[in-house]
Amino acid sequence: MNSRTGTPQEIPVFFVQGSDRLCPVSNRTIVKQKTGDDETRPTFAFPDFLLSVFRLKDESKSSAFTCFFLPYCFMQRRSPFTLLGLLTCLLAVLIGCAQEPPVPLRVGSNVWPGFESLYLARDLGYYKDPSIQLVSYPSATEVTRAFRNGELEVAALTLDETLALAETEPNIRILLVTDISNGADVILGKPDLKTLQDLKGKRVGVESSALGAYVLSRALDQTKLSPQEIRIVSLGASEHELAFKQGRVDAIVTFDPTRSNLIAGGANLLFDSRQIPGEVVDVLVVRQELLERRHATMKALVEGWFKALDYLAQNPEDASLRMAPRQGVTPKQFLDSLKLLKIPTLLENQQLLSQKDPTLIEGAKRLSRVMVEKQLLKRAIDPTPLLTDQVVQSLK
């Protein structure tokens, strides 16, 4: 309120994070400070060339204002400030800036037994650090989309999905091999379908992802059928079980936990990943710049993973009781599903990611060639620069 005219005075203000102090900016570029009696008095002339920079409209930018504008305000005040007072204020501002909470490391995955140890680690308290945040998605397609859109810092993907991602984002890196499918990825058919050849003219449900298309194409390689001789039905991973049970498809390209549930209900196994050994691999992916900038958090993430694996090995009954509910299966079904996975140890990860064990790099090169042949990639991807042992080598 203007004390001379009795009329309100409109003054755009800066909101300083962590403080109730207001530093208003008038249209005449005069910085005024609010006093206790609803009056404002000029304190200093604010340079015109900086006005547009600091006329902030949203509170999310207030930390920049706190760190850079407020010290300037204190130094330019015409009211007397002792040197000690100035240093005290500047120290308070710097501490406020330094104590901003870290941005969470968001780790995204779909529901898959091979990724479940992440959630076991969280359940056991190995991820007490609030900077690690697990995010679950209904399908791998949505995990990939979220990673592309910057909604995730780390993505749990299959190796073929990683190669497809690297086609447009060559700066991604594989920091951990979580598992290698050895029968967990399957094609299941209705009871009257006995072989892959019986799929001719049938409706086959498949997720519109690189993995679903890849498994189906590799299965068809073993028959005389072409993709044109079957009827493809695009389904999200969360739709697989219901679509099969309702008869909307005759066969389904799927994986656990849907695999376990459908086989228990009488579905026939027509094909599984044991017939393409080493080709369906699951990994954790991160961008190179983030790997360098947040190495300590990445190390905590991977360290928690291996601690959870140790707990699973030593306490399988308790671990399965914790892990099975998220998968929607019984503890016994969950433990059975793990038998269809090869889960590399820390030492094996170090060997695979350093390429001292050539199994992963050779398999990835072969996978890239097959994906080009199947038109799942536009060009072959060299997987060599994608592998990094930076994090696993830092663990003992």
Side-chain angles (χ1 to χ4, degrees), residues 8-280:
Q9 183 181 22
E10 269 193 38
I11 302 173
V13 298
F14 292 118
F15 291 88
V16 183
Q17 189 173 31
S19 170
D20 57 3
R21 182 183 298 277
L22 303 177
C23 287
V25 178
S26 78
N27 292 331
R28 297 190 309 279
T29 74
I30 299 296
V31 174
K32 300 184 177 184
Q33 190 168 14
K34 193 171 179 67
T35 64
D37 57 359
D38 283 342
E39 291 185 344
T40 57
R41 56 183 173 81
T43 58
F44 67 90
F46 191 78
D48 286 329
F49 77 95
L50 287 177
L51 181 63
S52 62
V53 176
F54 289 114
R55 193 182 295 277
L56 304 184
K57 293 185 179 179
D58 89 51
E59 198 173 349
S60 69
K61 300 177 183 175
S62 62
S63 59
F65 168 75
T66 304
C67 294
F68 301 109
F69 171 69
L70 194 54
Y72 184 89
C73 180
F74 285 149
M75 289 188 286
Q76 295 292 329
R77 283 182 59 93
R78 292 178 183 156
S79 56
F81 259 78
T82 66
L83 179 58
L84 180 59
L86 177 59
L87 290 175
T88 301
C89 292
L90 287 174
L91 181 60
V93 170
L94 290 173
I95 291 174
C97 293
Q99 289 181 340
E100 285 195 15
V103 177
L105 186 78
R106 297 164 297 183
V107 184
S109 67
N110 63 310
V111 178
W112 163 250
F115 299 145
E116 196 60 35
S117 291
L118 288 169
Y119 293 88
L120 178 62
R122 184 181 68 179
D123 191 54
L124 293 170
Y126 301 154
Y127 294 151
K128 289 181 181 178
D129 186 342
S131 63
I132 296 177
Q133 185 180 104
L134 303 184
V135 187
S136 184
Y137 290 85
S139 70
T141 303
E142 292 173 72
V143 175
T144 303
R145 185 184 300 116
F147 186 81
R148 286 187 186 276
N149 292 342
E151 297 166 15
L152 295 173
E153 284 68 50
V154 180
L157 302 172
T158 56
L159 186 56
D160 54 287
E161 289 160 349
T162 302
L163 293 176
L165 184 63
E167 198 167 32
T168 54
E169 297 203 34
N171 65 331
I172 61 171
R173 299 293 180 264
I174 297 171
L175 76 153
L176 181 72
V177 180
T178 61
D179 64 88
I180 301 167
S181 180
N182 189 35
D185 292 88
V186 299
I187 299 178
L188 302 178
K190 292 291 187 181
D192 59 316
L193 301 181
K194 306 300 182 183
T195 68
L196 286 172
Q197 199 65 38
D198 294 333
L199 292 178
K200 184 174 183 179
K202 302 298 184 181
R203 300 162 299 169
V204 180
V206 60
E207 185 182 355
S208 57
S209 67
L211 177 61
Y214 181 77
V215 171
L216 181 58
S217 67
R218 294 292 282 126
L220 292 179
D221 285 345
Q222 301 187 16
T223 72
K224 297 179 180 179
L225 296 177
S226 68
Q228 291 73 33
E229 293 180 280
I230 60 176
R231 296 162 59 190
I232 301 292
V233 179
S234 181
L235 294 171
S238 59
E239 301 175 275
H240 286 186
E241 186 170 348
L242 189 59
F244 190 88
K245 289 179 176 178
Q246 290 180 340
R248 287 188 278 142
V249 294
D250 304 298
I252 192 85
V253 182
T254 193
F255 45 85
D256 271 313
T258 301
R259 181 202 73 89
S260 298
N261 291 336
L262 293 183
I263 287 178
N268 276 338
L269 178 64
L270 304 179
F271 179 85
D272 68 31
S273 51
R274 286 175 294 188
Q275 294 163 263
I276 47 173
E279 294 187 30
V280 181

